[in-house]
Amino acid sequence: MAVPPSYSDLGKAAKDIFSKGYGFGVVKLDLKTKSQSGVEFNTSGSSNTDTGKAAGSLETKYKMKDLGLSFNQKWNTDNTLATEVTVEDQLAQGLKVALDTSFVPNTGKKSGKLKTGYKRDFVNLGCDVDFEGPIIHAAAVLGYEGWLAGYQMAFDTAKSKLAQTNFALGYRAGDFQLHTNVNDGTEFGGSIYQKVNGELETAVTLAWTAGSNNTRFGIAAKYKMDKDTSLSAKVNNASLIGVGYTQSLRPGVKVTLSALIDGKNFNAGGHKVGMGFELEA
């Protein structure tokens, strides 16, 4: 018996192969530290190589494990302050309740969201209430012997109508995952993930929109050269080729180099490169 993933995590293995290990057009620095009292600090800064625009954020996390409480505060250079307070496994085993708020001092804009989640063997449920609207987001995933079925919806209470209706069906084994989804009856998608061996992982994605002849697909792979080095590559039907190289220089120090090449306009330029540093102490 196992707890199925949340709806947003369905097909996550394939998504990670396509997204992790890349950072096109950005130079980024991430710093993670932890104090003796258990407070975690995550600092991030980035610069867009095309526009030169810089952005940054500071995040602090503190957990009180005995009480099942966690506090998360985040500030970014857009001058947005966000706070999240979470209680887990206290009101009931498997139940998670969180209050997520944000505030922009410059404009006075405020927003809030109440998040709830419940997970047990064979089932994973979630319900969020966005006070702006308000809009109710709900999702459910059922799992049995590797098979997964999910439903996700959004209900706009102001207009008294469904704003979103999504379905998903998949299968998950130890080294293989299959995921299919239908969003609002118009967007169709699917992905396949396979761990070929201890060093090589592959993924394929496919997407199609009703009323359009445009089918989108891509293939990606990640190869672990050794315990400190990995190489990633991906290509899609638009002939966009992405490559990434990740190297752990020492414990707590990681560098990532990546490039995006436009195969259709190779001589025209416009290709993107990126670099990322991750420091953890």
Side-chain angles (χ1 to χ4, degrees), residues 13-176:
K15 294 175 187 176
D16 288 347
I17 298 297
F18 276 89
S19 61
K20 291 188 175 181
Y22 305 100
F24 309 127
V26 174
V27 177
K28 188 176 182 181
L29 173 64
D30 292 314
L31 174 62
K32 299 179 181 180
T33 59
K34 189 173 183 179
S35 68
Q36 292 182 350
S37 60
V39 181
E40 299 178 18
F41 296 90
N42 296 335
T43 307
S44 177
S46 64
S47 175
N48 189 299
T49 56
D50 292 332
T51 64
K53 182 180 179 180
S57 65
L58 172 63
E59 183 177 11
T60 61
K61 297 180 180 180
Y62 180 66
K63 294 182 179 180
M64 301 174 67
K65 295 182 180 180
D66 295 340
L67 300 176
L69 278 171
S70 63
F71 301 88
N72 190 338
Q73 291 185 313
K74 187 174 183 179
W75 170 86
N76 60 32
T77 48
D78 292 331
N79 206 21
T80 300
L81 303 173
T83 302
E84 184 176 70
V85 181
T86 305
V87 180
E88 188 170 4
D89 293 331
Q90 295 299 305
L91 302 176
Q93 187 65 31
L95 178 63
K96 182 178 180 180
V97 180
L99 179 62
D100 188 0
T101 62
S102 66
F103 174 60
V104 183
N106 292 344
T107 62
K109 183 180 179 181
K110 302 175 183 177
S111 64
K113 183 181 292 187
L114 179 64
K115 303 177 180 179
T116 61
Y118 181 73
K119 54 186 179 180
R120 299 290 290 180
D121 292 335
F122 310 120
V123 63
N124 194 322
L125 307 175
C127 183
D128 302 344
V129 179
D130 190 339
F131 299 137
E132 187 176 357
I135 298 176
I136 300 173
H137 302 267
V141 177
L142 303 177
Y144 182 72
E145 294 186 352
W147 290 98
L148 300 168
Y151 173 70
Q152 183 185 57
M153 57 80 75
F155 182 77
D156 191 334
T157 59
K159 299 179 180 179
S160 297
K161 70 173 186 179
L162 285 173
Q164 184 184 57
T165 303
N166 303 333
F167 296 91
L169 182 66
Y171 179 78
R172 184 174 65 172
D175 56 358
F176 175 82

